[in-house]
């Protein structure tokens, strides 16, 4: 048996209680407060993670399009979303390599581990894009500072940048527990091996660390910009005070 597994990220959090009302006729084979796993038909599954990932296991193109549009509450072309695709087959050993997954046995727990890892991977893609966007914007001001000794950034814009950076860090911390194996893999050797190989192939931990490092660099740059702005406004205030004092002195003597 061969199955195509493809994950998408909707770039927003999902309310699983609302999601359940969208698919009343589908059978839930596994669920927790952070995910739902539906069985569509034999060897066909839908996995939905609350941080915005949707994973289709051996589903038709029509079902994918309808499901994504239903969950997003608008028509969306799947090609426009962050995605990750793998081919899964049953073999004599567990292995993950070059967009191919091999497992000894296919069951709900195996599908859960595969879908969770692909769901995390596409979520990381979304966070990488957002981090890159923030970095590119701060780079503009860094270049202005390098070439002119100044930059065109107000205190309000600065606060917005800092807020976006901190919110992104908080979202990652809240959504992605990348250093923990799924609970289902803790006591089953083959599932633990599958989880390890998927994480290694997808570079989940390294990519997560890369995002954290990039956000720290962005925050350091913003802190520097803020210090420069504060010094600039402080100097301006000092000059205003000096001018007011001079005006008072002039009025006294003249």
């Amino acid at each position: 048996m061969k199955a195509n597994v493809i994950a998408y990220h909707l770039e927003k959090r999902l309310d699983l209680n609302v999601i359940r009302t969208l698919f009343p006729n589908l059978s839930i084979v596994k669920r927790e407060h952070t995910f739902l796993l539906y069985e569509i038909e034999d060897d066909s599954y839908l996995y939905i993670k609350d941080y915005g990932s949707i994973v289709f296991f051996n589903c038709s193109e029509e079902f994918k399009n309808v499901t994504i549009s239903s969950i997003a509450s608008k028509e969306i072309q799947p090609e426009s979303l962050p995605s990750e695709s793998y081919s899964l087959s049953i073999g004599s050993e567990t292995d993950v390599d070059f967009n191919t997954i091999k497992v000894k046995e296919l069951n709900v727990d195996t599908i859960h581990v595969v879908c969770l890892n692909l769901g995390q991977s596409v979520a990381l893609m979304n966070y990488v894009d957002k981090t890159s966007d923030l970095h590119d914007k701060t780079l503009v001001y860094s270049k202005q500072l390098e070439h002119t000794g100044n930059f065109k950034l107000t205190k309000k814009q600065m606060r917005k940048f800092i807020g976006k950076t901190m919110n992104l860090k908080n979202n990652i911390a809240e959504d992605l527990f990348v250093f923990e194996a799924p609970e289902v893999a803790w006591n089953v050797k083959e599932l633990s091996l599958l989880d390890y190989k998927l994480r290694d192939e997808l570079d989940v931990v390294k990519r997560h660390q890369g995002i954290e490092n990039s956000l720290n660099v962005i925050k350091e740059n913003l802190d520097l910009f803020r210090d420069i702005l504060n010094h600039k406004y402080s100097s301006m205030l000092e000059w205003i005070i000096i001018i007011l004092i001079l005006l008072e002195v002039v009025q006294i003597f003249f």
Side-chain angles (χ1 to χ4, degrees), residues 135-160:
H135 182 266
D136 290 343
K137 289 179 180 178
T138 56
L139 190 61
V140 170
Y141 299 115
S142 296
K143 288 183 177 180
Q144 288 179 3
L145 188 61
E146 177 186 1
H147 295 304
T148 68
N150 204 347
F151 51 85
K152 299 177 181 179
L153 186 64
T154 66
K155 277 193 171 183
K156 184 176 181 180
Q157 290 173 319
M158 175 67 64
R159 287 192 291 267
K160 285 185 176 181

Side-chain angles (χ1 to χ4, degrees), residues 5-252:
V5 189
I6 184 165
Y8 298 97
H9 194 271
L10 292 183
E11 302 177 339
K12 67 175 185 178
R13 290 191 65 83
L14 302 175
D15 186 336
L16 297 185
N17 290 324
V18 174
I19 298 297
R20 292 185 66 179
T21 65
L22 298 176
F23 308 106
N25 297 323
L26 295 183
S27 173
I28 297 177
V29 293
K30 197 169 189 179
R31 68 182 177 91
E32 291 180 8
H33 67 283
T34 62
F35 76 87
L36 297 170
L37 179 59
Y38 289 96
E39 183 176 21
I40 311 306
E41 54 188 19
D42 290 344
D43 298 325
S44 179
Y45 296 84
L46 168 65
Y47 178 85
I48 302 172
K49 191 71 174 171
D50 62 350
Y51 50 64
S53 293
I54 305 174
V55 187
F56 297 95
F57 187 97
N58 208 27
C59 297
S60 68
E61 290 298 323
E62 181 182 2
F63 180 78
K64 294 175 191 175
N65 294 336
V66 171
T67 300
I68 289 174
S69 296
S70 297
I71 294 175
S73 300
K74 61 181 179 180
E75 188 172 346
I76 292 181
Q77 295 300 322
E79 297 79 15
S80 66
L81 300 172
S83 64
E84 188 92 60
S85 179
Y86 271 73
S87 174
L88 183 143
S89 62
I90 298 176
S92 59
E93 60 180 4
T94 299
D95 195 21
V96 181
D97 193 24
F98 295 109
N99 295 97
T100 301
I101 303 170
K102 292 182 180 179
V103 296
K104 289 184 177 181
E105 179 185 3
L106 187 63
N107 54 42
V108 171
D109 290 337
T110 302
I111 293 167
H112 176 199
V113 171
V114 171
C115 291
L116 172 61
N117 277 277
L118 293 187
Q120 285 185 340
S121 182
V122 290
L124 280 170
M125 286 182 185
N126 178 51
Y127 288 130
V128 166
D129 290 342
K130 289 183 177 180
T131 303
S132 296
D133 182 57
L134 279 175
H135 182 266
D136 290 343
K137 289 179 180 178
T138 56
L139 190 61
V140 170
Y141 299 115
S142 296
K143 288 183 177 180
Q144 288 179 3
L145 188 61
E146 177 186 1
H147 295 304
T148 68
N150 204 347
F151 51 85
K152 299 177 181 179
L153 186 64
T154 66
K155 277 193 171 183
K156 184 176 181 180
Q157 290 173 319
M158 175 67 64
R159 287 192 291 267
K160 285 185 176 181
F161 268 121
I162 293 174
K164 285 182 180 179
T165 303
M166 297 310 297
N167 280 336
L168 194 53
K169 291 188 72 171
N170 292 336
N171 287 340
I172 292 172
E174 179 183 2
D175 293 344
L176 300 179
F177 302 101
V178 297
F179 298 110
E180 295 183 16
E183 186 175 349
V184 69
W186 290 353
N187 299 317
V188 181
K189 182 179 178 180
E190 285 301 321
L191 292 178
S192 180
L193 178 62
L194 175 62
D195 179 69
Y196 171 79
K197 291 197 171 188
L198 279 166
R199 287 170 184 272
D200 184 59
E201 172 70 15
L202 295 168
D203 278 336
V204 172
V205 174
K206 290 181 181 178
R207 288 158 64 197
H208 178 270
Q209 291 174 339
I211 293 173
E212 286 289 326
N213 291 337
S214 295
L215 288 173
N216 287 334
V217 170
I218 292 170
K219 188 176 183 303
E220 287 176 5
N221 289 336
L222 292 176
D223 287 341
L224 175 62
F225 295 158
R226 183 179 58 187
D227 290 342
I228 293 173
L229 275 178
N230 287 339
H231 178 72
K232 178 181 177 181
Y233 283 106
S234 177
S235 297
M236 185 183 301
L237 183 60
E238 288 176 1
W239 276 108
I240 291 173
I241 293 172
I242 291 171
I243 292 171
L244 289 174
I245 292 173
L246 286 174
L247 288 174
E248 287 290 331
V249 171
V250 169
Q251 287 179 354
I252 290 173

